[in-house]
């Protein structure tokens, strides 16, 4: 659900992509040791496992995901179904096992975007090097800051203009008084 597996028979590898088209994982290679394939020709996903038919040796390789692979797959599926709490917990498990997982940072950033936590989303998009969504998060964050502070900005501008008008009126009074400052304090003799 939301994950696509591709068999590369030239390089004897399997690739998994999630629903947005980005790579999730890759594994396999040439050979006859565990985790390798020899001329794979068919791929089937059944009951949480991948089965690869090797034509050179007429064998069937059955691949079960590691705990890391299971967390990646489950996190992706939960996120696709809109089950964000479960997805977040699983993406954090992925990061605990691989702190360099761009997929996990990107997915968590998108979760934060959905929760309108734009500043946190920006941090995670920056880590995942997703410039497109970083720009979207920044735009939303900027709008949020402007909306929250619009009243204060208007008040500051009004206070500035009020002070400017007050200074101009004071300067006119000073000019009308002949430039005598302090005459109200006593006579200047």
């Amino acid at each position: 659900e939301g994950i696509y597996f591709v068999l590369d028979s030239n390089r004897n590898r399997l690739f998994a992509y999630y629903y947005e088209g980005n790579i999730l994982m890759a594994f396999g290679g040439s050979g006859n040791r565990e985790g390798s394939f020899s001329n794979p020709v068919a791929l089937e996903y059944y009951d949480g496992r991948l089965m690869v038919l090797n034509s050179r040796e007429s064998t069937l390789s059955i691949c079960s995901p590691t705990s890391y692979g299971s967390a990646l797959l489950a996190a992706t599926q939960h996120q696709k179904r809109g089950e964000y709490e479960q997805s977040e917990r699983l993406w954090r498990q992925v990061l605990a096992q691989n702190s360099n997982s761009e997929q996990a940072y990107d997915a968590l950033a998108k979760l934060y975007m959905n929760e309108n936590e734009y500043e946190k989303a920006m941090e995670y998009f920056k880590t995942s090097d997703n410039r497109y969504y970083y720009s979207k998060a920044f735009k939303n964050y900027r709008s949020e800051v402007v909306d929250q502070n619009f009243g204060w900005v208007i008040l500051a501008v009004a206070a500035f203009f009020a002070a400017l008008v007050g200074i101009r009126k004071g300067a006119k009074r000073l000019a009308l008084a002949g430039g005598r400052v302090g005459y109200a304090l006593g006579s200047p003799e």
Side-chain angles (χ1 to χ4, degrees):
E1 181 180 327
I3 300 170
Y4 307 95
F5 294 97
V6 178
L7 179 61
D8 180 352
S9 57
N10 289 331
R11 294 189 293 170
N12 298 320
R13 299 193 69 188
L14 284 170
F15 296 90
Y17 296 89
Y18 60 97
Y19 57 93
E20 292 182 333
N22 298 322
I23 191 162
L24 196 56
M25 67 176 103
F27 59 95
S30 297
N32 35 354
R33 64 186 184 279
E34 189 174 342
S36 299
F37 309 109
S38 20
N39 199 24
V41 292
L43 169 69
E44 181 66 35
Y45 182 77
Y46 177 74
D47 198 26
R49 296 180 295 180
L50 289 169
M51 291 176 250
V52 180
L53 181 62
N54 297 293
S55 69
R56 183 173 298 145
E57 298 171 358
S58 299
T59 59
L60 181 68
S61 299
I62 300 174
C63 306
S64 297
T66 62
S67 64
Y68 177 75
S70 294
L72 269 173
L73 296 170
T76 303
Q77 290 169 337
H78 283 294
Q79 189 157 352
K80 173 82 167 123
R81 290 190 296 252
E83 299 166 349
Y84 299 126
E85 287 181 29
Q86 297 94 325
S87 179
E88 181 178 4
R89 179 181 52 79
L90 289 162
W91 284 120
R92 295 220 175 272
Q93 282 181 12
V94 169
L95 283 178
Q97 294 180 54
N98 178 5
S99 62
N100 294 318
S101 173
E102 288 184 8
Q103 299 97 335
Y105 284 110
D106 193 64
L108 286 167
K110 288 175 182 168
L111 291 173
Y112 293 132
M113 282 276 286
N114 287 339
E115 296 171 1
N116 299 329
E117 294 184 41
Y118 302 118
E119 190 172 14
K120 206 170 194 178
M122 287 168 45
E123 175 188 334
Y124 279 74
F125 282 132
K126 185 174 184 178
T127 304
S128 73
D129 198 30
N130 189 330
R131 294 177 183 175
Y132 176 75
Y133 277 102
Y134 178 89
S135 295
K136 282 185 158 200
F138 179 75
K139 179 182 176 186
N140 290 332
Y141 176 68
R142 183 182 58 211
S143 295
E144 189 177 74
V145 168
V146 168
D147 289 347
Q148 288 174 352
N149 297 304
F150 186 73
W152 290 109
V153 170
I154 294 299
L155 183 64
V157 168
F160 172 76
F161 282 114
L164 191 61
V165 168
I167 290 171
R168 290 189 78 198
K169 284 185 178 180
K172 280 185 181 178
R173 285 187 187 139
L174 183 61
L176 290 175
R180 293 183 302 206
V181 178
Y183 67 92
L185 298 176
S187 93
E189 293 176 29

